[in-house]
Amino acid sequence: MKRLERCGRLAALWWLLVMLACRAHAAQLSCEYRTQLDQLYAYGQMEQGVQMPLRLDAYLPTTCSNAPGVMHPPVMLLPGGGFGDTVVGKRQPPIVQMAVELARAGFAVFVAEYRPRLWHDVAPVSETMTPDELEAYKALAAQGPYPVSTAVEALMAVEDAFKLQAWIRSRGADDQLDLAAFGMMGPSSGATTSLSMAYMGDNLGVGDAGLHAVVDLWGDFFPHETMMPGEAPLLVVAGTADALIDYPLTTDTMHRAFLTGVDASRITMPGVGHGLVDADIFNRMVDGTGMTVFEVIVQFLEARLRPLGGQVWPPAGQGNEMTTAPSAAASR
């Protein structure tokens, strides 16, 4: 009997070790990838009946050496600089680096354009709101901390993001996409669009995005009260010296998340301003983790978009509030 009990304990221990190995194994994918550039995903309505073509670059994992046949969660990555008079740059070096590294980690990344303030001297028009609804939206936006024009531009971008999501859904089988786990992220206007889609889409009458992870790289949305229980987990990355998005507004977002039970974490970057260059996310270390800001972002996406992969969140020894040390470049 004792021998049987010992064998049973050994078998249980062996099974536990196998399960732990599998969980660690699945959480750290290493994948090859391919690109599909300048794919037309939709048209955006502009004034005078003009249709603006909207294009994306796709970074698609192919063979993952340690997880053959795995499905890939899609991540919509929207570049910043979109609330202006030029189309966002899909191939800004930091954006490309993010897309490549995420694809290597097993995520299918879609870097997409959205309508700017002007395109060939014509402005975008809402595809989802009537004129009266748009005026009511502007009146609400006028109570917020940003120009009304920025709120209108964010609305158009959100409309385009829903079209992007629909296009990705149509390709799920072709690209081995796990459509039950959608992520979204971006810097600046790309972050504002991501936040607005995740926490305002249903309020705007555009739809429920059904996102499963949002990474906010120095963006914001208004009003924060549109965030509701059960909505997407959020990781905020914010600099205390940001001249465009006041850092205290991210505290308001975190407070709203606390009140509604939304899973939210924040990485605070002391003394850092607005933009990918100043943030230096590929080199700036998060205190107590041994990881860069970008590596922590990847861990967040792994934990929230591949929940069966065994990845933990927040990082070991951390809570939902983290802070960074100076980047390697800044310390030289």
Side-chain angles (χ1 to χ4, degrees):
M1 180 64 70
K2 290 183 178 179
R3 183 177 181 182
L4 287 175
E5 290 177 355
R6 182 184 178 195
C7 289
R9 288 196 297 269
L10 289 174
L13 177 60
W14 176 85
W15 179 248
L16 177 61
L17 291 173
V18 169
M19 291 299 294
L20 290 173
C22 288
R23 285 162 69 89
H25 184 74
Q28 301 173 11
L29 298 188
S30 177
C31 307
E32 300 294 324
Y33 72 95
R34 60 188 172 90
T35 58
Q36 293 181 345
L37 305 180
D38 287 322
Q39 299 288 299
L40 178 69
Y41 76 85
Y43 287 91
Q45 183 66 42
M46 311 294 285
E47 291 177 340
Q48 304 173 25
V50 173
Q51 296 283 326
M52 175 184 170
L54 300 171
R55 302 185 184 278
L56 62 82
D57 289 347
Y59 297 76
L60 304 171
T62 52
T63 303
C64 298
S65 60
N66 51 353
V70 69
M71 301 293 283
H72 306 296
V75 174
M76 297 180 285
L77 173 53
L78 303 186
F83 299 160
D85 297 340
T86 58
V87 180
V88 294
K90 301 193 302 297
R91 294 179 198 151
Q92 304 168 48
I95 294 293
V96 172
Q97 185 174 354
M98 274 193 278
V100 167
E101 295 302 326
L102 287 172
R104 286 175 175 163
F107 299 99
V109 186
F110 300 88
V111 183
E113 301 170 345
Y114 45 98
R115 285 172 290 172
R117 181 184 301 141
L118 287 176
W119 185 69
H120 295 302
D121 295 324
V122 292
V125 297
S126 176
E127 301 170 346
T128 60
M129 287 190 176
T130 66
D132 287 344
E133 289 170 336
L134 185 58
E135 289 305 312
Y137 172 68
K138 289 179 179 179
L140 175 63
Q143 302 173 32
Y146 307 109
V148 172
S149 59
T150 299
V152 173
E153 290 153 13
L155 168 65
M156 310 304 174
V158 169
E159 292 175 342
D160 293 340
F162 271 95
K163 290 180 288 189
L164 169 64
Q165 187 181 45
W167 185 90
I168 294 170
R169 288 189 185 281
S170 73
R171 295 176 56 88
D174 295 337
D175 296 326
Q176 285 188 280
L177 303 182
D178 181 0
L179 298 177
F182 255 99
M184 191 171 186
M185 63 184 295
S188 193
S189 62
T192 295
T193 303
S194 300
L195 292 164
S196 299
M197 182 173 180
Y199 308 116
M200 294 182 67
D202 48 353
N203 300 85
L204 298 175
V206 184
D208 181 359
L211 297 172
H212 302 85
V214 176
V215 179
D216 161 26
L217 301 174
W218 43 93
D220 193 25
F221 68 105
F222 177 83
H224 295 155
E225 287 73 21
T226 57
M227 178 186 280
M228 293 295 173
E231 294 188 316
L234 170 64
L235 174 59
V236 176
V237 181
T240 61
D242 193 326
L244 296 181
I245 305 295
D246 286 342
Y247 177 77
L249 291 171
T250 69
T251 300
D252 292 345
T253 300
M254 293 293 291
H255 181 63
R256 178 63 183 178
F258 173 78
L259 292 177
T260 57
V262 168
D263 173 9
S265 302
R266 176 170 58 175
I267 301 174
T268 295
M269 302 182 294
V272 172
H274 192 87
L276 285 165
V277 173
D278 207 23
D280 194 21
I281 63 173
F282 301 105
N283 296 298
R284 190 178 301 277
M285 303 299 293
V286 178
D287 285 342
T289 67
M291 294 186 290
T292 65
V293 172
F294 183 74
E295 288 169 338
V296 173
I297 290 170
V298 173
Q299 183 166 333
F300 170 75
L301 293 174
E302 287 177 336
R304 295 298 173 250
L305 299 184
R306 282 200 293 262
L308 299 181
Q311 186 59 276
V312 299
W313 184 261
Q318 301 296 309
N320 69 333
E321 291 280 6
M322 292 165 272
T323 189
T324 65
S327 68
S331 62
R332 285 198 294 267

